[in-house]
Amino acid sequence: GESVGLHLPTLSVQEGDNSIINCAYSNSASDYFIWYKQESGKGPQFIIDIRSNMDKRQGQRVTVLLNKTVKHLSLQIAATQPGDSAVYFCAENTGNTGNQFYFGTGTSLTVIP
Amino acid sequence: GAVVSQHPSWVICKSGTSVKIECRSLDFQATTMFWYRQFPKQSLMLMATSNEGSKATYEQGVEKDKFLINHASLTLSTLTVTSAHPEDSSFYICSAREGGAGANVLTFGAGSRLTVL
């Protein structure tokens, strides 16, 4: 499958600070990306998605930025809370080739109270 | 919203036995479901794409005779780990896609933890 990787395996932030989680992908044909959050022992939960015709999308306390030039996307979490502690994965899909999503390595976010 | 249910959530079995894991879409129909495997502190690895009414499509390196997938209805896919061995111990997660063309968001089940003694 395509290679999707994350820059940092772990990230610790103080409660209330903003968090930035990065993801690099290798397939320039990828046109759809999703960020998932996975808490320990649970399945991944959808956070936010972005299509390749956009470079920014905002949700509630989260923002995803996409830079197609360098094949990089990031997830920004504003005012990080203890409940945000989890592993975050980016997943990419090339719509024309099917439904498969391939996941990056994951970043473990720890929020320090 | 869309809900995907997996059963069992945890199963312990003896080496050599076969284990079946069910994945159900509770409030939508899913022509395609996906099976992932996840080792501790690692990412999700796509194993196969389960297609309703047809054979599953396996990713490279995944043994189709080892991991049998059946997608007999639009709401149910099953993964059977045949002759399980300790190295098959893992967290197995299924996902399904709701909606038609252009709807790419995957909804994941809670996962099934398999422990092979």
Side-chain angles (χ1 to χ4, degrees):
Chain A
E2 290 84 354
S3 170
V4 182
L6 296 179
H7 292 168
L8 296 174
T10 62
L11 177 66
S12 296
V13 298
Q14 206 72 35
E15 180 179 359
D17 288 351
N18 297 333
S19 303
I20 300 177
I21 301 171
N22 296 303
C23 179
Y25 62 96
S26 60
N27 187 350
S28 57
S30 295
D31 56 7
Y32 182 61
F33 305 87
I34 302 179
W35 280 100
Y36 282 95
K37 171 186 179 183
Q38 185 180 29
E39 297 175 355
S40 181
K42 298 182 180 179
Q45 291 179 295
F46 172 88
I47 301 175
I48 191 168
D49 60 353
I50 189 168
R51 295 197 178 274
S52 59
N53 60 352
M54 304 171 67
D55 52 21
K56 180 179 181 179
R57 191 163 188 220
Q58 288 184 293
Q60 187 177 12
R61 284 201 305 119
V62 295
T63 301
V64 55
L65 299 177
L66 174 63
N67 185 330
K68 295 180 289 292
T69 303
V70 295
K71 291 183 285 191
H72 178 273
L73 68 159
S74 66
L75 176 70
Q76 301 178 0
I77 304 174
T80 314
Q81 302 168 0
D84 295 327
S85 294
V87 178
Y88 290 81
F89 295 99
C90 66
E92 58 95 11
N93 170 254
T94 305
N96 291 335
T97 61
N99 297 313
Q100 293 86 351
F101 278 82
Y102 296 93
F103 283 74
T105 307
T107 293
S108 176
L109 174 66
T110 301
V111 181
I112 304 167
Chain B
V3 177
V4 174
S5 173
Q6 275 187 249
H7 177 81
S9 57
W10 192 6
V11 55
I12 302 172
C13 70
K14 292 183 179 180
S15 184
T17 61
S18 294
V19 175
K20 180 186 286 188
I21 300 170
E22 294 185 347
C23 178
R24 294 180 184 273
S25 56
L26 295 188
D27 49 3
F28 66 99
Q29 294 183 331
T31 56
T32 305
M33 292 184 174
F34 305 91
W35 287 96
Y36 291 83
R37 183 176 182 176
Q38 186 179 34
F39 291 105
K41 300 188 185 301
Q42 294 191 22
S43 185
L44 284 75
M45 182 192 76
L46 179 64
M47 299 175 65
T49 302
S50 172
N51 305 298
E52 187 268 335
S54 65
K55 292 183 179 180
T57 304
Y58 289 82
E59 294 295 299
Q60 191 173 9
V62 178
E63 299 176 60
K64 61 179 67 175
D65 295 331
K66 175 74 172 178
F67 300 100
L68 299 178
I69 291 172
N70 183 275
H71 194 154
S73 77
L74 288 171
T75 59
L76 174 64
S77 175
T78 61
L79 168 69
T80 301
V81 182
T82 62
S83 187
H85 291 282
E87 58 266 29
D88 298 323
S89 298
S90 189
F91 196 49
Y92 293 89
I93 306 174
C94 73
S95 68
R97 188 184 72 140
E98 180 185 22
N104 275 329
V105 175
L106 294 179
T107 300
F108 285 83
S112 298
R113 185 170 303 282
L114 171 63
T115 301
V116 184
L117 303 177

